[in-house]
Amino acid sequence: MRRGSLIQLAALAAVAAGICIAVALAIPWLPEAAGKEAQRIDLVFWFTTAIAIAVFSVVAAVITYSVWKFRARPDDDSDGPPVHGHTGLEIAWTAVPALLVTAISIMSAVVLAQNSNAGSNPVKIGVLGRQFAWSFTYPNGKTYGFLELPVNRKTQLDITSDDVIHSFWVPQLSQKQDAVPGQHNKLVVTPIKTGTFPVICTELCGLGHSLMRSHVTIVSQADFAKFLKGGASSGPAGLAVFQQFGCGGCHTLKSAGATGTTGPDLDKLKQDATQAHRGSLTAFIKQSIVDPGAYVQPGYQNGVMPTTFGQQIPADKLSQLVQYLAQNGK
Ligand code: CUA
């Protein structure tokens, strides 16, 4: 190949690479990394992207060059020149991709091993998925509907489910882990930034799936220690139950900041109870929780509200929840 052609090829490759690099850098493709694991995953992502851009640029340059230099003239009906294989080229285009793919596998294996290393003394937090809410159990035995993590320390999440398969995901921490009934999947996170980020269910798990969200607050180690000592105020006892069992995933309740619309609006409970003619307000609320099929508010479908809350919510917590809802309803 002549020197001039090589320069033209290189110029085409540079143009293709320039466009790809501009697109890669101008758009914020990844959420900010709030954990060490996320940083490592981003590194693998960018390493793979850089290789992809390099390969694409070479291929795009060769194709463009061929279309431009070797196209047939409109009146040219002759046969093309006989071309034989090129052993050197064939070895190169087999060996180079093999090396690149091997490099990606080695890097991924190293990152996977680092990311699943919980170290000798991680904070341990239990994560439970349930239609349609997350609950988190801390080393002090307390359970809340939100996740709180200390910065710059490894935390090992023990993830499981009460009913169907859910999947735990915090975009800023990068990793996803399935919550499977009867199985305890582990996930190690090492936050590096304080702040509040969303916790999302990323496995289609039923009607309330899109609302199965919570949040993670990453705080200093001192604040986390305070939180474990019970310093965090979680409001009225009934509100904690409401959050723990994820009622807000499907229902609206202003005082709890819940905006779900899959089930009836709980700010209208008194009105609905009057309409339902089913005894006192508290009796109506209790029955609606433990036996949701007994009376279904007009406009809503039977069978959407899980029938398992009667067994899941301990009696004392159930009465706290009923009292809380009765006080809130209009
Ligand atoms: Cu739980 Cu989707």
Side-chain angles (χ1 to χ4, degrees):
M1 196 177 235
R2 256 166 267 121
R3 200 157 160 265
S5 316
L6 271 178
I7 291 173
Q8 284 167 340
L9 262 178
L12 285 169
V15 170
I19 294 172
C20 290
I21 291 170
V23 171
L25 296 182
I27 299 172
W29 297 99
L30 300 174
E32 65 165 320
K36 269 191 194 159
E37 293 77 14
Q39 282 183 325
R40 294 187 195 115
I41 291 169
D42 288 3
L43 187 68
V44 178
F45 177 85
W46 285 117
F47 180 66
T48 311
T49 303
I51 290 175
I53 290 177
V55 171
F56 174 81
S57 303
V58 172
V59 172
V62 171
I63 289 177
T64 311
Y65 182 85
S66 305
V67 168
W68 167 36
K69 289 280 174 177
F70 304 131
R71 71 187 186 280
R73 309 286 147 185
D75 55 348
D76 179 4
D77 294 329
S78 63
D79 289 336
V83 177
H84 298 279
H86 189 297
T87 313
L89 256 186
E90 283 167 25
I91 290 174
W93 76 46
T94 307
V96 172
L99 278 175
L100 293 178
V101 171
T102 308
I104 295 173
S105 337
I106 292 173
M107 190 169 179
S108 305
V110 170
V111 166
L112 268 177
Q114 287 177 329
N115 278 4
S116 54
N117 178 5
S120 55
N121 184 27
V123 178
K124 291 191 174 176
I125 298 177
V127 179
L128 179 68
R130 169 189 290 144
Q131 287 172 319
F132 297 98
W134 294 106
S135 60
F136 304 92
T137 303
Y138 294 88
N140 60 6
K142 290 194 174 153
T143 300
Y144 297 104
F146 55 88
L147 181 56
E148 185 129 341
L149 292 175
V151 74
N152 295 327
R153 220 191 131 180
K154 282 177 186 277
T155 295
Q156 188 181 53
L157 302 175
D158 181 303
I159 302 171
T160 190
S161 164
D162 232 9
D163 37 44
V164 299
I165 299 176
H166 306 273
S167 185
F168 174 90
W169 184 39
V170 175
Q172 287 78 2
L173 298 176
S174 262
Q175 310 164 93
K176 291 179 178 176
Q177 182 60 274
D178 277 1
V180 182
Q183 205 172 302
H184 288 262
N185 294 332
K186 304 280 195 281
L187 188 68
V188 178
V189 291
T190 318
I192 51 167
K193 270 186 191 145
T194 55
T196 300
F197 308 104
V199 172
I200 296 169
C201 176
T202 174
E203 180 84 44
L204 185 59
C205 56
L207 258 188
H209 160 69
S210 63
L211 293 161
M212 189 168 164
R213 287 170 172 241
S214 177
H215 61 269
V216 51
T217 306
I218 299 168
V219 296
S220 70
Q221 299 197 13
D223 283 352
F224 186 73
K226 247 188 261 169
F227 166 77
L228 286 189
K229 275 198 196 122
S233 144
S234 53
L239 172 61
V241 183
F242 184 89
Q243 287 171 335
Q244 181 186 340
F245 289 90
C247 312
C250 291
H251 297 280
T252 289
L253 185 66
K254 281 203 193 95
S255 65
T259 55
T261 53
T262 303
D265 182 344
L266 299 180
D267 285 318
K268 297 190 181 126
L269 260 177
K270 276 188 188 148
Q271 203 177 298
D272 292 351
T274 317
Q275 220 178 59
H277 302 296
R278 297 188 83 90
S280 72
L281 178 60
T282 49
F284 171 70
I285 294 173
K286 188 173 175 191
Q287 184 187 51
S288 301
I289 296 170
V290 302
D291 185 12
Y295 170 81
V296 179
Q297 177 70 15
Y300 294 89
Q301 240 178 303
N302 192 7
V304 175
M305 166 106 166
T307 54
T308 44
F309 286 122
Q311 295 107 61
Q312 287 172 351
I313 309 180
D316 55 332
K317 288 195 170 184
L318 180 61
S319 70
Q320 287 167 357
L321 178 61
V322 170
Q323 289 306 325
Y324 172 68
L325 291 175
Q327 282 157 16
N328 271 272
K330 279 198 281 286

